[in-house]
Structures are given as structure tokens and as C-alpha cells.
């Protein structure tokens, strides 16, 4: 139980904070389109050129290989510098596909893709969810048949973020029907310019094209693109999770504290009809105080997860509790941002309206809050399986 | 590693040895009975004293164990979790005040002199306490200052109606003359807030354990009710609240700057966690939860008592909202 940093760590923090203050983008990230892609790529490239890409990746794959403490420091200072925390086009490569390749792929695939991911040259998307397989990922049915030295893929993926901008895709396909549905799934690297692939953007409730449906019509992918072996894909997909040490949402969590501060300030300056500052009203004060206290609690929970992970090799299920609280807290804060502003809070195109609508995704994607609760109940509390 | 929130093996061992002497079954039984006389179990109190609880965070050169606020939080978490009532809070904070002021009472406090807490009650000269039957010395506590007093004349203490909290022995206390030995500073108040939060986090955690134990074995429709989604989701939310409260208490314990805001935040989160979890635990116990004999209502009662102990919701919100956000690292 100790929060004090060593002199070396303080020096690291200062170095990081300085670099970020000087280099983090000043302008707001565009919501979609080419401008958004170039924004994300340029920021990734700037970090890469300065040696800050892949901070949690092993150095042998071009990463920085930072310790857990250093990663916590980096992510914290990242948020404090106002660096972009939105899920960008480089996210899947850096946080998901890349680590999976590191854990499970052969050298050829690693050499081909890892440096390009880090530099921002290669954008990845995730071909996991399907119209019939969201929470129930193992129910996926996009099929792939072996034909000579290729896989031939037919089917459809959905909620594929940035598929229309990506060069590569981490694709889960069904190659056979096994005793369990998890058996018979294959993880394959799918080049997005392969003939037969069509990525159709879907407009989300924000009004922007945040993700796509992707259609596969006799798409031929070389067998050498399979990671692991045929029918081994579920294991490969699960291995991605072991890379996660609890720091995944840390920048957003640190940023949320600052967001709450902005709203507290707003409540101090906005007045009601009688000229009293909104913060003098118990209703607003209750919402704001709870938001600030819970934002601190989230950081404490994350630090506990990180501390636990520092002592063991396997990430525990406690991270689901952090996810549950944080995702809902983000939504509550985004609602406060709208509510505190009165009519101005409804302005279409404003950051607070965009965030309010976009943040529905945080309790739906990457495990709905309902599934997270089941995970907590079964794996943290040991309650009998419900499903 | 630094930036490490969790206790290491040695700290774990210290806390385990401490909590080994707590008896939740006996504690619950005595809360249910609500007998006259001291609230604290004298046997447990003496063993706690012998283990050095009341000098836990006092430096070794002053006769204490030289441990920190983190260890205090873990012990008070266990007190809450086991429903152990008594003036543990007042005595712990009194030791730090006595040490800070060089008071001769320090040795007696570390030797187990029970110290009750007096909080101000508005009209000048009047104070409130819940330690009527146990205290032989008093800690006057307010956000900006604290004072240590010795025994009070019997006439100073007027019992007030019983609280729904069976661990409380409420009274109004009037002093003949103004308190003169106040020492300025926010640390005693901040520590008290944090340790109350720790006890509440412990209650929140105990409610989770109670619900998990019951719903794992209670069967309806051919299976344990803990397998039904509604029950699972309620328990998952309970676990999340309890974890949030516990980890925030630890984080607050380990920070010096902004300690007041983090302690107040911990109390806000932990109080809500304890009351909500205790309510949910009653619900999870179904018909049995509605009975006197099941512990769930005792946790609810204690949660309410502890939540109201030091400050009201308005003051707590002010403490959380004051200034900009605390920064723990």
C-alpha cells in the first residue's frame, strides 16, 4: 500500500508530461471521414517517431516495454495533457489485434504487421460481432471452407468499427461444427482489399458513420494468414484478454475527473432564475458530488486491479466491476453535461450532445453491462451459472 | 511496487491477526439484545488493546506500532464487516490527537482508555454522542479543530431516545465551560471521516457475503436462487459498490494532499454502498430477510447510524465539491 513514486518514476512522469504537453494535438478530433482518419494516423505517427507507440508492447516487437507503473504514469499524464481518448482508427491494431499477433502469430505475420500498426500505416478493424452473434460471440456463423491453400469466407459481420478505413481485419470465422460452439472457430488476418469484401457504413445515433456491416462473398484468404491453427480461434481470441493489465480505460478514467471539474465550474457560474448559482441547489450538488466521488472510486478500483495484476500473471475478473461502474458513470456525467446547460444542452452538433448519444455504446460494446453483471456474479462472487 | 493499492504480505498478516479476534456472531447477538451498559465487548476490547490497535498509527518512539492510515482503514473495515460496535473510532483518533498535542493522555489511550466522540449540535455548548455508556474520556471533533477531554461529570450527559442503530447509545452532552484545549487542524476530522467510511465499506462487503451465502443455497423452482438473473444482477451491483467503497478508502488513506476531499468522497460512496447493499441483502433473503433473527437488518441499522455519525449530507457534499479534484498520483 504505497502511492509514492521513486525519483526515477517522478523523472519519467516529468519527461512524459513534458512531451505530451508539447505534442498532444491541440485541435478537437473530427467525428468521422478522412479528416478523422488522418488525425488519428498523424497522432499515432507522432507518438511512434518519438518512441511512445506500443508502450505496453515488448521491445522486441518495436514497443517500449514499459513497466506497469510506467504505463499507469503514461496513461495518467496522457489524459492530463488533454490527448485524445476517443477510440480512434489505430485502437484495434494497438490494443487488440497487435497483442493477439504478439501472443499467438508466427514470425512472418508479426514482422509484416506489427511495425505497420505501431507507425499508424496500417489500420485494423475487428470482424467479430455478427447480426446473430453479439453477446453470444460463440454463435458466430460466418463460414470459411478450406480450398487448397486458401480459406473461402462467406457471411457477414457487423459493428465493425472503421471497416471502411481499415487495411486489415482480425476475423473470426466458423470452419467446422464442434462439440461446443467455441470449437470450430478460426482467427485469420483478412486484408480488407481482398475481392469479395464490401464494407457498408452504418449511421449511428450520433448521426456519424461510426461502424460498418461487412459482407463476405467468396473471399479467398491465404491459409498462411491463420493465427494459431484451424479451429483454434477461440483460444486465440481469449488470449487477447490476458494482455490487458487493467490499464485499458485509464486515460478515460483520469479524463473523467477533469470532466467533472468542468461541470462543477459550470454549476458555479450558471445561475437559476433567482440568480443563485446552480451548485447551491441540493439536487445539482448531489449529482455533482456523487460524480466526483465515484470518479475517484473508479481510479481506486483500477489501481487495485493493476496492483493485483502486478502480482499474478492472469488478469482476474474484478476488472468487470470497474467496467460496470465506469461505463455507467460516464453516461451519468454526460447526462449532467447536457442537463446543466438547459436549452443550450440540446444543441445538435455540440460536444456534449455527441458524447451523450455516443456513450450508449459504452454499456453495449465490448460486453454489455448485463453480461458484465453476469461475469461479476459468476466469476467474482461464485454464484451458480444462470445461462 | 509503488502505485500499489493492496496490502503486502506483512500488512495482510497484521490485519489478519487483528481481525482474528473479532467475532461477528457474538457481535450480531449483542446488537440484537441491545443490553444496558457498555456497547463494546470488553474481552475483544482488551485483546485489541493488547495487540496495539490504539497505537497502531502512532510512531514507535512514542510507544505505538508505527504503521499507517492504510492499516487503520483495513482494521476499521473489519470492524464494520463484523458489526463490532464500541468507541474504536474515538479512541483511535484520540490517540493521534494526543500524540500531536503531546497530551499525557496518550499512554492511557493506547492502553485502552475508551474515548467517545462529541460532535457539535448547533446551539453553543451542546454536543452529541453515541458513546454514552462506554466513554471514559472524550474527543470533541469538528471539521477544523479537535480537543481531548477527560471524564465528564454524570450530569453533563443526558440520554436521548434510542437510535435504530443498536450499536449507538445516544446522548446530549452539555459542558459547564467552554472547551479551551482545542487544537486547530483538519487531520483528526479527516481521519475520523475516513475510518467511518472504512467501517461502512466493511458493512457493504458483509452484505455481499450474506447475500452470496444465502442465494447460493436457498432453492426455489428446483435451483439455487443465486442462478436467477435478477438476483445475479443485484448481487453484482452490490459487489461493485462494496469494491468501489473499499478501494476508495484505501486510496484516500494513502494520500496526504487532498486527503479531506478523498476522505469525504470515500464516505459518500461508502455510506451509499452500505445502506443500499444492506437493503438489497434484505431483499435477497426474501421472507427471512424480514425477520429479526437474520443479520441483514442489523447491517442496515448500523449503516444508517454510521452514515449520520459525523456530518450531514449538505456538509459532506461541500467537502467533496470544494476546490478542484484531488489527485492521488
Amino acid at each position: 500500500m504505497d502511492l509514492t513514486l521513486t525519483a526515477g518514476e517522478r523523472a519519467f512522469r516529468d519527461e512524459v508530461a513534458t512531451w505530451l504537453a508539447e505534442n498532444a494535438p491541440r485541435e478537437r478530433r473530427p467525428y468521422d471521414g478522412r479528416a478523422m482518419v488522418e488525425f488519428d494516423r498523424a497522432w499515432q505517427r507522432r507518438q511512434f517517431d518519438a518512441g511512445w507507440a506500443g508502450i505496453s508492447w515488448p521491445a522486441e516487437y518495436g514497443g517500449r516495454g514499459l513497466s506497469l507503473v510506467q504505463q499507469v504514469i503514461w496513461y495518467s499524464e496522457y489524459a492530463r495533457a488533454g490527448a485524445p481518448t476517443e477510440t480512434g482508427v489505430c485502437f484495434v491494431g494497438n490494443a487488440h489485434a497487435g497483442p493477439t499477433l504478439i501472443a499467438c502469430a508466427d514470425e512472418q505475420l508479426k514482422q509484416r504487421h506489427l511495425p505497420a500498426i505501431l507507425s499508424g500505416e496500417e489500420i485494423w478493424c475487428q470482424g467479430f460481432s455478427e447480426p446473430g452473434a453479439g453477446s453470444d460471440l460463440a454463435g458466430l456463423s460466418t463460414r470459411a471452407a478450406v480450398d487448397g491453400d486458401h480459406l473461402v469466407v462467406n457471411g457477414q459481420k457487423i459493428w465493425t468499427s472503421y471497416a471502411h478505413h481499415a487495411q486489415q481485419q482480425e476475423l473470426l470465422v466458423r470452419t467446422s461444427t464442434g462439440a461446443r460452439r467455441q470449437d470450430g472457430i478460426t482467427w485469420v488476418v483478412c486484408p480488407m482489399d481482398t475481392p469479395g469484401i464490401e464494407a457498408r457504413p452504418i449511421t449511428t445515433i450520433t448521426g456519424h458513420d461510426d461502424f460498418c456491416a461487412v459482407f463476405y462473398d467468396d473471399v479467398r484468404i491465404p491459409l498462411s494468414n491463420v493465427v494459431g491453427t484451424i479451429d483454434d480461434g477461440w483460444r486465440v481470441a481469449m488470449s487477447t484478454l490476458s494482455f490487458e493489465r487493467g490499464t485499458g480505460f485509464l486515460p478515460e478514467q483520469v479524463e473523467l475527473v477533469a470532466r467533472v471539474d468542468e461541470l462543477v465550474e459550470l454549476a458555479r457560474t450558471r445561475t437559476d432564475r433567482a440568480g443563485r448559482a446552480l451548485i447551491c441547489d441540493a439536487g445539482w450538488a448531489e449529482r455533482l458530488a456523487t460524480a466526483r466521488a465515484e470518479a475517484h472510486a473508479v481510479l481506486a478500483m483500477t489501481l487495485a486491479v493493476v496492483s493485483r495484476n502486478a502480482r499474478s500473471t492472469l488478469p482476474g475478473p474484478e476488472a468487470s466491476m470497474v467496467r460496470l461502474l465506469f461505463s455507467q458513470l460516464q453516461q451519468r456525467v454526460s447526462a449532467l453535461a447536457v442537463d446543466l446547460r438547459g436549452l443550450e444542452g440540446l444543441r445538435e452538433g455540440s460536444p456534449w450532445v455527441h458524447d451523450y448519444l455516443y456513450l450508449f455504446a459504452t454499456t453495449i460494446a465490448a460486453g454489455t453491462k448485463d453480461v458484465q453483471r453476469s461475469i461479476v456474479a459468476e466469476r467474482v462472487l461464485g454464484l451458480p451459472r444462470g445461462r | 511496487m509503488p502505485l500499489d493499492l493492496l496490502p503486502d504480505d506483512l500488512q495482510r498478516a497484521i490485519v489478519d491477526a487483528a481481525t482474528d479476534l473479532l467475532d461477528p456472531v457474538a457481535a450480531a447477538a449483542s446488537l440484537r439484545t441491545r443490553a444496558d451498559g457498555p456497547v463494546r465487548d470488553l474481552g475483544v476490547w482488551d485483546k485489541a488493546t493488547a495487540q496495539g490497535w490504539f497505537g497502531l498509527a502512532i510512531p514507535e518512539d512514542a510507544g505505538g506500532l508505527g504503521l499507517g492510515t492504510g492499516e487503520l482503514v483495513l482494521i476499521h473495515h473489519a470492524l464494520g464487516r463484523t458489526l463490532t460496535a464500541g468507541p474504536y473510532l474515538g479512541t483511535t483518533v484520540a490517540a493521534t490527537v494526543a500524540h500531536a498535542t503531546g497530551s499525557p493522555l496518550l499512554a492511557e489511550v493506547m492502553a485502552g482508555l475508551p474515548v467517545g466522540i462529541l460532535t457539535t449540535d448547533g446551539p453553543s455548548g451542546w454536543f452529541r454522542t453515541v458513546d454514552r455508556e462506554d466513554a471514559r474520556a472524550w474527543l470533541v471533533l469538528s471539521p477544523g479543530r479537535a480537543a481531548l477531554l477527560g471524564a465528564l461529570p454524570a450530569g453533563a450527559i443526558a440520554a436521548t431516545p434510542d437510535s435504530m442503530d443498536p450499536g449507538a447509545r445516544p446522548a446530549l452532552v452539555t459542558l459547564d465551560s467552554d472547551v479551551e484545549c482545542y487544537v486547530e487542524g483538519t487531520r483528526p476530522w479527516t481521519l475520523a471521516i475516513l475510518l467511518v467510511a472504512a467501517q461502512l465499506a466493511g458493512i457493504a462487503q458483509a452484505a455481499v457475503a450474506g447475500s452470496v451465502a444465502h442465494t447460493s443455497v436457498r432453492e426455489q423452482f428446483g435451483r439455487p436462487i443465486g442462478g436467477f438473473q435478477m438476483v445475479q444482477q443485484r448481487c453484482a451491483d452490490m459487489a461493485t459498490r462494496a469494491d468501489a467503497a473499499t478501494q476508495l478508502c484505501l486510496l484516500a488513506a494513502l494520500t496526504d494532499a487532498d486527503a479531506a476531499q478523498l476522505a469525504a468522497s470515500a464516505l459518500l460512496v461508502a455510506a451509499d454502498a452500505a445502506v443500499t447493499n444492506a437493503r438489497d441483502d434484505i431483499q435477497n433473503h426474501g421472507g427471512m430477510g424480514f425477520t429479526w433473527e437474520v443479520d441483514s437488518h442489523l447491517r442496515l441499522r448500523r449503516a444508517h447510524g454510521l452514515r449520520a455519525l459525523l456530518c450531514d449530507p449538505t456538509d459532506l457534499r461541500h467537502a467533496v465539491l470544494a476546490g478542484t479534484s484531488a489527485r492521488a498520483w
Side-chain angles (χ1 to χ4, degrees):
Chain A
M1 287 189 293
D2 185 4
L3 296 185
T4 53
L5 301 175
T6 63
E9 281 149 2
R10 284 198 305 277
F12 176 77
R13 182 184 62 193
D14 292 341
E15 179 195 349
V16 153
T18 302
W19 187 87
L20 285 163
E22 288 166 6
N23 289 276
R26 305 242 170 275
E27 54 302 353
R28 210 190 145 84
R29 179 178 181 268
Y31 287 130
D32 59 11
R34 294 308 314 167
M36 176 197 74
V37 175
E38 289 322 308
F39 179 99
D40 288 346
R41 277 187 137 146
W43 174 228
Q44 180 70 24
R45 181 86 211 192
R46 202 174 321 150
Q47 294 176 79
F48 175 75
D49 287 341
W52 292 116
I55 59 154
S56 60
W57 288 23
E60 67 184 290
Y61 297 115
R64 192 76 185 232
L66 293 183
S67 69
L68 256 187
V69 175
Q70 289 172 319
Q71 288 177 46
V72 171
I73 292 171
W74 166 268
Y75 288 125
S76 304
E77 295 308 315
Y78 183 100
R80 287 176 187 135
T85 57
E86 295 92 335
T87 305
V89 302
C90 299
F91 172 79
V92 170
N94 276 285
H96 210 267
T100 310
L101 295 175
I102 289 171
C104 298
D106 60 37
E107 277 315 303
Q108 189 200 41
L109 281 176
K110 287 180 192 175
Q111 292 307 326
R112 197 161 85 203
H113 295 294
L114 296 179
I117 289 172
L118 286 181
S119 67
E121 253 178 79
E122 197 170 76
I123 295 170
W124 281 65
C125 62
Q126 186 181 63
F128 278 28
S129 296
E130 298 177 1
S135 294
D136 184 18
L137 180 61
L140 67 91
S141 60
T142 294
R143 358 170 246 306
V146 176
D147 178 28
D149 53 5
H150 280 78
L151 275 178
V152 183
V153 180
N154 282 282
Q156 184 195 344
K157 295 291 179 182
I158 203 156
W159 199 307
T160 315
S161 303
Y162 306 132
H164 48 325
H165 301 305
Q167 285 79 50
Q168 303 289 341
Q169 182 182 64
E170 46 173 3
L171 177 61
L172 282 182
V173 294
R174 180 160 295 290
T175 34
S176 64
T177 311
R180 303 180 316 147
R181 292 167 324 142
Q182 289 89 341
D183 307 330
I185 291 174
T186 299
W187 202 108
V188 61
V189 176
C190 172
M192 290 301 284
D193 60 0
T194 308
I197 299 180
E198 188 196 347
R200 281 185 222 157
I202 295 174
T203 309
T204 69
I205 59 175
T206 64
H208 301 295
D209 296 344
D210 294 313
F211 50 55
C212 300
V214 183
F215 298 86
Y216 307 80
D217 185 11
D218 283 343
V219 175
R220 302 183 66 85
I221 304 172
L223 279 176
S224 55
N225 276 22
V226 170
V227 174
T229 56
I230 300 278
D231 290 347
D232 185 38
W234 191 257
R235 177 193 65 85
V236 174
M238 292 303 109
S239 75
T240 316
L241 303 175
S242 64
F243 205 84
E244 175 49 50
R245 313 301 280 161
T247 55
F249 290 97
L250 187 52
E252 291 96 320
Q253 292 166 0
V254 171
E255 185 188 55
L256 192 66
V257 172
R259 283 261 177 283
V260 174
D261 273 4
E262 287 164 14
L263 296 181
V264 171
E265 253 328 286
L266 194 63
R268 285 195 182 119
T269 51
R270 281 189 66 99
T271 55
D272 61 19
R273 281 191 221 278
R276 271 181 339 162
L278 294 185
I279 203 161
C280 296
D281 173 276
W284 293 118
E286 175 72 20
R287 287 173 76 176
L288 288 163
T290 304
R292 178 177 275 183
E294 289 183 338
H296 289 320
V298 163
L299 286 174
M301 292 167 86
T302 286
L303 197 59
V305 167
V306 167
S307 304
R308 225 171 264 127
N309 282 340
R311 288 143 194 229
S312 102
T313 45
L314 287 172
E318 290 84 2
S320 286
M321 291 190 286
V322 193
R323 187 86 214 284
L324 258 179
L325 176 56
F326 180 59
S327 56
Q328 293 177 91
L329 177 61
Q330 278 182 298
Q331 291 175 341
R332 286 195 287 273
V333 172
S334 76
L336 251 181
V338 166
D339 295 347
L340 273 170
R341 289 181 161 96
L343 275 180
E344 175 67 1
L346 304 184
R347 180 156 61 81
E348 180 71 359
S350 63
W352 49 86
V353 165
H354 175 269
D355 286 352
Y356 176 69
L357 294 170
Y358 185 81
L359 282 169
F360 275 93
T362 194
T363 51
I364 296 171
T368 66
K369 62 180 176 182
D370 313 293
V371 166
Q372 299 290 345
R373 285 186 170 111
S374 294
I375 292 172
V376 172
E378 289 165 13
R379 294 193 220 157
V380 176
L381 300 180
L383 287 174
R385 235 181 114 79
R387 287 158 289 138
Chain B
M1 67 162 229
L3 281 194
D4 188 332
L5 197 65
L6 301 179
D8 61 31
D9 290 342
L10 182 60
Q11 288 162 330
R12 249 304 100 226
I14 290 166
V15 174
D16 286 348
T19 58
D20 271 349
L21 53 90
L22 297 174
D23 183 351
V25 174
S30 94
L31 288 179
R32 254 189 292 272
T33 315
R34 209 195 286 237
D36 292 335
V39 160
R40 72 191 188 286
D41 178 307
L42 298 176
V44 170
W45 185 267
D46 287 346
K47 282 189 219 145
T49 304
Q51 259 194 24
W53 283 29
F54 304 117
L56 202 84
I58 303 300
E60 290 180 81
D61 59 23
L65 293 184
L67 298 174
T69 314
E71 285 90 340
L72 285 180
V73 160
L74 291 170
I75 287 193
H76 280 254
H77 191 277
L79 287 170
R81 187 174 47 76
T82 56
L83 287 178
T84 305
Y88 292 87
L89 178 69
T91 311
T92 302
V93 181
T96 65
V97 173
H99 177 253
T101 57
S103 161
L105 274 177
L106 176 61
E108 280 186 74
V109 170
M110 290 199 294
L113 176 73
V115 182
I117 290 182
L118 297 178
T119 52
T120 57
D121 182 53
S124 125
W126 290 27
F127 300 89
R128 289 199 173 273
T129 188
V130 296
D131 298 312
R132 180 185 82 214
E133 298 297 328
D134 287 79
R136 297 214 307 273
W138 298 93
L139 176 69
V140 186
L141 203 54
S142 65
R145 56 186 191 168
L148 260 180
L149 307 175
L152 293 176
I157 303 170
T160 50
D162 280 350
S163 163
M164 74 182 263
D165 173 5
R169 296 290 182 273
L172 262 183
V173 172
T174 50
L175 302 179
D176 280 340
S177 51
D178 289 340
V179 174
E180 267 158 34
C181 54
Y182 274 118
V183 59
E184 302 296 313
T186 59
R187 295 183 80 111
W189 179 259
T190 297
L191 179 62
I193 293 277
L194 179 57
L195 296 183
V196 169
Q199 291 193 30
L200 284 161
I203 291 177
Q205 203 76 70
V208 176
S211 281
V212 168
H214 177 74
T215 63
S216 296
V217 301
R218 166 69 178 173
E219 291 197 10
Q220 286 288 262
F221 307 108
R223 53 193 186 110
I225 63 174
F228 293 120
Q229 251 187 10
M230 246 339 282
V231 176
Q232 284 201 341
Q233 303 226 332
R234 189 181 299 127
C235 290
D237 285 346
M238 292 168 72
T240 303
R241 283 184 213 110
D243 191 53
T246 300
Q247 307 308 344
L248 184 53
C249 283
L250 287 178
L251 189 75
L254 301 180
T255 51
D256 254 338
D258 302 321
Q261 188 192 100
L262 286 174
S265 298
L267 180 56
L268 194 78
V269 170
D272 177 68
V275 170
T276 307
N277 279 13
R279 293 182 62 99
D280 281 349
D281 181 48
I282 290 172
Q283 182 70 35
N284 284 329
H285 276 78
M288 290 173 59
F290 194 62
T291 64
W292 187 260
E293 74 174 271
V294 168
D295 288 353
S296 307
H297 75 109
L298 299 175
R299 285 189 277 269
L300 180 69
R301 291 166 174 277
R302 284 293 289 156
H304 276 278
L306 285 168
R307 184 172 77 172
L309 186 67
L310 292 179
C311 64
D312 69 28
T314 306
D315 293 337
L316 189 57
R317 283 194 292 267
H318 280 146
V320 172
L321 291 175
T324 55
S325 279
R327 182 176 153 155
W329 65 77

